[in-house]
């Protein structure tokens, strides 16, 4: 028997999403802008695709409280444009923002950028969510209050869920002011030298908002600073002095190269793996990997590496041996490689939560394969 092509549903309101889930039998894939469609486990066959790219727009912006609620399919770059007029921003600089990544997609994939060093990731910036469970129940968690202690925290559960707990339809976010001035200081050198400089920098009172090493010959350490237009130049000078010979202020284009390396090779060769471990162990771990491109948050312990497809399993094993975590991101279409490393000790709890919320495993099958 030939299987019918999956139905694509394009709701434009939260109620439409709820009705689509309630009225559509079988397994459902969830998608948005599609910027992370190759991340994590390969999606398995489904009966329908829930396309949330039409669920866009600001629902409510409270500049005085520095919060905003948006539909989950809203591209972050569009939200940034609306908030900039109020001198505010969502302090998240994930590399794929420029490609149109949505707020809901960034939450579901636990994606973040260099400024996570100070502002955290989506997990730290989300204060409320509305999502839809497998039986069509709409679940609200949190709200516009930063310190919310009522009920179970669905926002934290949805962070990095890849959709297996159901579609996110609305997100409430905490905002930060747009800085009056920013600067970037760079110094060339291999990762071990950069790691030593970062330890000294982080022990100083100079307060960088991002510290990343990018691979090259010999590689480059980037330090981003934010502050007042009159005071920042003085701090830039002190950072240059601390980093030593060769350190100098550079333009923002340095971060464009960082974003390009994070996205992997443009020709689709090689596999991209996101890894995380204790910051003190990251430089040593990177030296063990057959990486052809690296961006490394030497103060956060989060790195993105491009490796030959055949080496993905080795990367997972090396990261696990360093007590870290790893997940496969982009990969060649024909690559058969494990998406995840060894299963975590909390896997039984993860399965139990999924069974409670989605007992028939309707949503996003395959994304956590082979764990569940």
């Amino acid at each position: 028997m030939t299987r019918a092509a999956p139905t694509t549903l394009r709701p434009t309101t939260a109620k439409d999403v709820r009705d689509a889930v309630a009225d559509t039998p079988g397994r459902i894939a969830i998608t948005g802008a599609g910027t992370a469609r190759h991340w994590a486990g390969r999606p398995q066959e489904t009966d329908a695709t829930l396309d949330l790219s039409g669920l866009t727009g600001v629902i409510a912006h409270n500049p005085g409280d520095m919060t905003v609620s948006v539909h989950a399919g809203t591209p972050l770059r569009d939200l940034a444009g609306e908030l900039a007029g109020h001198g505010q921003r969502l302090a998240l600089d994930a590399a794929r923002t420029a490609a149109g990544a949505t707020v809901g997609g960034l939450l579901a994939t636990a994606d973040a950028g260099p400024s996570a060093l100070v502002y955290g990731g989506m997990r730290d910036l989300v204060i409320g969510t509305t999502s839809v469970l497998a039986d069509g129940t709409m679940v609200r968690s949190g709200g516009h209050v930063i310190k919310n202690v009522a009920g179970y925290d669905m926002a934290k559960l949805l962070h990095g869920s890849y959709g297996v707990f159901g579609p996110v339809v609305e997100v409430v976010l905490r905002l930060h002011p747009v800085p009056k001035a920013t600067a970037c200081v760079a110094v060339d050198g291999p990762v071990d030298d950069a790691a030593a400089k970062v330890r000294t920098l982080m022990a100083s009172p100079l307060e960088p908002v991002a510290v990343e090493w990018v691979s090259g010959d010999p590689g480059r350490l980037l330090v981003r600073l934010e502050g007042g237009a009159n005071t920042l130049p003085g701090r830039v000078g002190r950072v240059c002095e601390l980093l030593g010979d060769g350190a100098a202020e550079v333009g923002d284009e340095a971060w464009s190269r960082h974003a390009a390396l994070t996205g992997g090779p443009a020709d689709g060769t090689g596999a991209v793996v996101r890894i995380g471990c204790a910051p003190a162990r990251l430089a040593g771990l990177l030296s063990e990997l057959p990486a052809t491109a690296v961006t490394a948050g030497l103060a956060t312990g989060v790195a993105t590496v491009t490796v030959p497809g055949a080496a993905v399993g080795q990367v997972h094993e090396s990261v696990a041996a360093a007590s870290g975590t790893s997940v496969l991101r982009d990969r060649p279409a024909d690559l058969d490689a494990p998406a995840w490393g060894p299963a975590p000790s909390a896997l039984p709890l993860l399965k139990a939560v999924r069974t409670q919320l989605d007992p028939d495993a309707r949503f996003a099958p395959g994304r956590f394969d082979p764990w569940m």
Side-chain angles (χ1 to χ4, degrees), residues 194-369:
K197 286 181 168 64
V198 169
R199 287 193 291 272
T200 303
L201 177 63
M202 297 308 295
S204 77
L206 295 171
E207 299 182 338
V209 297
V211 178
E212 295 274 325
W213 181 81
V214 295
S215 59
D217 184 16
R220 171 170 276 197
L221 178 65
L222 303 176
V223 179
R224 183 190 298 158
L225 301 166
E226 295 176 352
N230 296 325
T231 59
L232 189 59
R235 192 146 50 95
V236 168
R238 294 197 293 277
V239 170
C240 289
E241 182 178 355
L242 183 147
L243 295 181
D245 292 344
E249 185 174 2
V250 298
D252 284 344
E253 66 275 7
W255 293 106
S256 299
R257 170 170 165 71
H258 177 280
L261 286 178
T262 301
D267 60 3
T269 60
V272 181
V273 184
R274 186 79 153 183
I275 66 177
C277 67
R281 306 184 72 169
L282 183 58
L285 173 60
L286 292 172
S287 67
E288 300 176 7
L289 306 180
T292 56
V294 176
T295 64
L298 296 174
T300 61
V302 176
T304 303
V305 299
T306 300
V307 298
V312 171
Q314 174 194 342
V315 172
H316 287 317
E317 292 175 4
S318 297
V319 174
S323 301
T325 60
S326 54
V327 58
L328 181 60
R329 287 191 167 176
D330 283 341
R331 74 201 96 176
D334 59 349
L335 178 64
D336 183 15
W340 302 89
S345 59
L347 181 58
L349 177 60
L350 181 63
K351 289 181 175 179
V353 172
R354 189 189 195 191
T355 299
Q356 182 70 30
L357 300 180
D358 183 10
D360 297 325
R362 297 185 63 201
F363 292 125
R367 298 296 256 170
F368 280 95
D369 183 64

Side-chain angles (χ1 to χ4, degrees), residues 81-127:
E82 294 199 33
L83 297 174
H86 299 272
Q88 298 181 349
R89 60 173 171 160
L90 179 68
L92 188 89
D93 52 356
R96 61 194 176 97
T97 299
T102 66
V103 171
L106 292 164
L107 174 65
T109 56
D111 198 11
S115 66
L117 173 64
V118 168
Y119 299 106
M122 285 293 276
R123 186 179 187 280
D124 307 286
L125 299 170
V126 172
I127 57 176

Side-chain angles (χ1 to χ4, degrees), residues 1 56 63-64 108 131 133 153 165 193 199 212 220 242 247 291 319 337 370:
M1 182 176 69
T56 62
S131 56
L133 302 184
D153 195 341
F165 299 134
D193 288 351
R199 287 193 291 272
E212 295 274 325
R220 171 170 276 197
L242 183 147
V319 174

